[in-house]
Structures are given as structure tokens and as C-alpha cells.
């Protein structure tokens, strides 16, 4: 016990006569994506660790920045009294993420969402969030613990490219892309709140060289249930409208995924769903048709030599 106490005092700078202020908990994080190696630093630059006591009430929030995540230090960072705790880690809480609750401080009533979800503002994307949780038992005051939280993806990466539209002249003449029925809340168990849906309106970037509109860094909340594509969580309708509000295209994301055999891709930790729209306007009149398909570059990259 004397060696343990000495090591703790060296690591934390504790004063022998006042051990109540000693840090005694060190928490690390790990993320293997869809492989076996820890790749956390490739995907996360900040983590907020929410600490709940045995009564399920929030008692602390500990922030880890990029340098702390890179250090892999096992030095105790904070102090907890003896007892059992539930930890929840929320990664990449940026401009598109806020932590909300229906019962102040209760773990099972907390979730992440976009700040504009309840304010009626425009939502262009979610952050590339990750969540992880762990129960720990903190021993007496002369000991400290070091535990690791396994992180899991809370989002799906998506790219939508649009071919065949004229270059924008004025903003009012541009096209509007919407994703209706998108999932809007993920709870601290990394589960979608099925009743909370809304519309995402991704910003479209126009590439003058290729003449293509595309989304930029678009992320949605998950659409699977424990690794299985779930139609009840993938109710998204992708809608393209012109500057007058007339719909040019509308289709189901779930139907697109299943028709193109992308279900296995859609449920990966680093799920990636690319979509290509080609708008075909008749030479005369206002007749418009839209081709919806997997981008050719994606097929060539993932399955070289694949023939449709």
C-alpha cells in the first residue's frame, strides 16, 4: 500500500496530509473502426466524458482535447469518491452538436442533437460523432484506477453529387437538396430516438470545372439497429427541388441502399453512402427525368472490374 500511495502522490502531486483532493481516476479511449487497430486519433479530436453516479445523476464532465487523446497517459486526471459510476464519452461535439435532456442530469434522459433541431433553424449536417460507455467501480482513497472506454460511431458518412444542372447565376436560381425524415436525436446509449425526425438541407458546392454540384462533409445519424439496417430508422426521403420549389426528384434512401446492395456498407462503423443524381432535361419543354445510381468512381474503387 505504501508503494501504491507513493506512486499516486508522484503522479498527481497530492499532499500527504490531504488525500481527499488527490486525482484517482485515469480514463483512456479506443476506437478500432472496422478493423482491429486503434485508429481513434484519425477520427476524433475531442471527447467530453460525462460521469454519472449510482443514482444515475450527472456529477462531472471531463474534457479531453486532441493533445490529451494523443498522449495515451495513464496518469489520473480527476477524482471520484469511492463508489460505482457510469461513464459516457461523446466525441467531436462541435458546432453541429449539443447535449440535451428531458430530465436534468439523468443519464437515461440525455441525448445529442443539432442545436437548431428545436429552434426551427436550418440543419445542414450533423457532426461526425462517436459515443462510448463504461461502468467503473472506484475503490478507496489510497488507490486509483485506469480504464478504457471503447468508442463507437454515431453517424453515417454520405456524399451526394448532382449532374446535369446549369451553373448557378444568382443564389435564388440555385437548386435545393433536402433529406426529409432524417433521425434527429441519439441517446447516451447510442440509440436513435425513433420519434424525433426532421429535415436536413445540406449545402451544395458547385464545381465549375466538372459542372457538378456536391455535398461537403455530410453526416447523418445512424440508420441501423445493432449492426443491421433498420427500415424503421431509415425513413429518409432525398428531395431535389429547383429554385421555384418544384420537386425534380424524390426517392427513398432505404430503397436506394437495398436496390444497390449497399446494406453491408451502410452498417459499418465508418459507413459511407455515395449517391449520384443525373438530371435529364428534354430538349424541348419542361419534362425532366432523373437517374439515381451509385457513382461510377465508387464502383471502380471498391470493386474493380465490376460490371452492372
Amino acid at each position: 500500500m505504501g508503494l501504491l500511495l507513493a506512486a499516486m502522490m508522484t503522479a498527481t502531486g497530492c499532499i500527504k496530509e490531504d488525500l481527499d483532493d488527490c486525482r484517482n481516476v485515469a480514463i483512456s479511449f479506443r476506437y478500432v473502426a472496422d478493423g482491429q487497430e486503434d485508429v481513434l486519433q484519425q477520427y476524433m479530436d475531442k471527447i467530453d466524458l460525462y460521469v454519472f453516479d449510482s443514482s444515475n445523476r450527472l456529477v462531472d464532465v471531463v474534457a479531453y482535447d486532441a493533445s490529451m487523446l494523443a498522449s495515451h497517459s495513464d496518469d489520473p486526471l480527476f477524482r471520484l469518491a469511492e463508489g460505482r459510476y457510469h461513464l459516457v464519452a461523446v466525441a467531436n461535439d462541435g458546432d453541429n452538436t449539443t447535449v440535451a435532456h428531458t430530465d436534468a442530469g439523468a443519464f437515461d434522459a440525455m441525448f445529442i442533437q443539432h442545436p437548431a433541431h428545436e429552434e426551427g433553424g436550418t440543419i445542414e449536417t450533423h457532426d461526425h460523432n462517436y459515443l462510448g460507455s463504461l461502468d467503473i467501480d472506484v475503490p478507496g482513497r489510497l488507490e486509483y484506477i485506469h480504464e478504457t472506454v471503447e468508442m463507437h460511431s454515431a453517424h453515417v458518412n454520405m456524399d451526394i453529387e448532382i449532374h446535369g444542372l446549369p451553373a448557378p447565376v444568382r443564389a435564388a436560381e440555385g437548386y435545393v437538396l433536402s433529406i426529409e425524415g432524417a433521425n434527429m436525436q441519439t441517446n447516451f446509449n447510442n440509440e436513435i430516438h425513433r420519434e424525433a425526425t426532421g429535415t436536413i438541407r445540406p449545402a451544395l458546392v458547385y464545381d465549375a470545372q466538372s459542372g457538378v454540384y456536391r455535398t461537403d462533409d455530410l453526416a447523418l445519424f445512424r440508420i441501423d439497429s445493432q449492426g443491421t439496417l433498420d427500415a424503421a430508422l431509415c425513413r429518409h426521403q432525398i428531395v431535389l427541388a429547383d429554385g421555384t420549389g418544384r420537386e425534380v426528384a424524390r426517392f427513398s434512401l432505404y430503397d436506394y441502399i437495398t436496390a444497390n446492395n449497399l446494406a453491408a456498407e451502410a452498417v459499418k462503423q465508418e459507413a459511407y453512402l455515395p449517391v449520384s443524381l443525373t438530371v435529364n432535361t428534354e430538349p424541348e419543354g419542361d419534362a425532366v427525368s432523373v437517374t439515381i445510381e451509385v457513382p461510377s468512381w465508387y464502383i471502380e474503387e471498391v470493386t474493380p472490374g465490376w460490371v452492372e
Side-chain angles (χ1 to χ4, degrees), residues 147-169:
E147 299 285 354
T148 300
V149 177
E150 295 283 345
M151 303 297 291
H152 302 279
S153 175
H155 70 280
V156 174
N157 303 295
M158 192 169 189
D159 277 331
I160 302 175
E161 58 185 36
I162 307 171
H163 303 257
L165 296 180
V169 178

Side-chain angles (χ1 to χ4, degrees), residues 288-300:
V288 175
S289 63
V290 177
T291 303
I292 303 165
E293 57 190 353
V294 178
S296 58
W297 57 261
Y298 176 79
I299 296 173
E300 294 168 2

Side-chain angles (χ1 to χ4, degrees), residues 2-240:
L3 290 176
L4 178 60
L5 176 57
M8 178 177 173
M9 290 175 65
T10 300
T12 65
C14 292
I15 300 173
K16 183 177 180 180
E17 290 77 15
D18 189 12
L19 294 175
D20 288 340
D21 292 331
C22 294
R23 291 171 288 177
N24 62 344
V25 180
I27 299 296
S28 298
F29 307 92
R30 185 171 182 266
Y31 177 62
V32 299
D34 297 290
Q36 301 297 323
E37 299 296 324
D38 184 6
V39 291
L40 184 139
Q41 292 180 66
Q42 297 180 28
Y43 297 98
M44 299 171 224
D45 56 18
K46 61 173 295 191
I47 292 178
D48 290 328
L49 182 67
Y50 292 77
V51 182
F52 299 86
D53 64 16
S54 58
S55 297
N56 206 23
R57 295 291 169 173
L58 182 66
V59 296
D60 201 359
V61 181
V62 183
Y64 295 74
D65 60 21
S67 63
M68 295 167 69
L69 295 176
S71 70
H72 298 288
S73 173
D74 60 357
D75 290 343
L77 180 63
F78 57 98
R79 174 163 186 80
L80 290 175
E82 182 177 357
R84 187 167 181 80
Y85 296 87
H86 184 69
L87 311 180
V88 177
V90 179
N92 299 345
D93 179 352
D95 293 339
N96 301 304
T97 306
T98 189
V99 174
H101 53 77
T102 55
D103 181 13
F107 154 73
D108 53 5
M110 298 183 71
F111 46 86
I112 58 173
Q113 65 180 26
H114 193 284
H117 171 56
E118 296 177 350
E119 299 173 1
T122 299
I123 300 175
E124 294 187 350
T125 185
H126 291 291
D127 287 320
H128 298 267
N129 297 122
Y130 299 84
L131 292 168
S133 62
L134 181 69
D135 291 320
I136 63 172
D137 290 301
V138 177
R141 67 184 186 135
L142 298 183
E143 302 177 60
Y144 72 89
I145 64 170
H146 180 197
E147 299 285 354
T148 300
V149 177
E150 295 283 345
M151 303 297 291
H152 302 279
S153 175
H155 70 280
V156 174
N157 303 295
M158 192 169 189
D159 277 331
I160 302 175
E161 58 185 36
I162 307 171
H163 303 257
L165 296 180
V169 178
R170 292 184 294 272
E173 296 180 349
Y175 284 72
V176 176
L177 180 69
S178 300
I179 305 176
E180 300 177 358
N183 298 318
M184 286 289 144
Q185 293 177 339
T186 299
N187 68 22
F188 269 24
N189 284 320
N190 203 4
E191 299 169 337
I192 294 296
H193 179 198
R194 295 172 181 257
E195 304 305 316
T197 60
T199 298
I200 294 177
R201 292 186 173 84
L204 289 176
V205 177
Y206 181 71
D207 185 338
Q209 184 173 358
S210 62
V212 174
Y213 290 83
R214 58 172 51 91
T215 56
D216 182 28
D217 205 28
L218 174 60
L220 310 177
F221 280 148
R222 301 290 297 185
I223 55 177
D224 64 297
S225 177
Q226 298 183 343
T228 300
L229 182 65
D230 189 340
L233 298 180
C234 189
R235 296 159 288 184
H236 308 57
Q237 291 285 318
I238 300 178
V239 182
L240 179 65

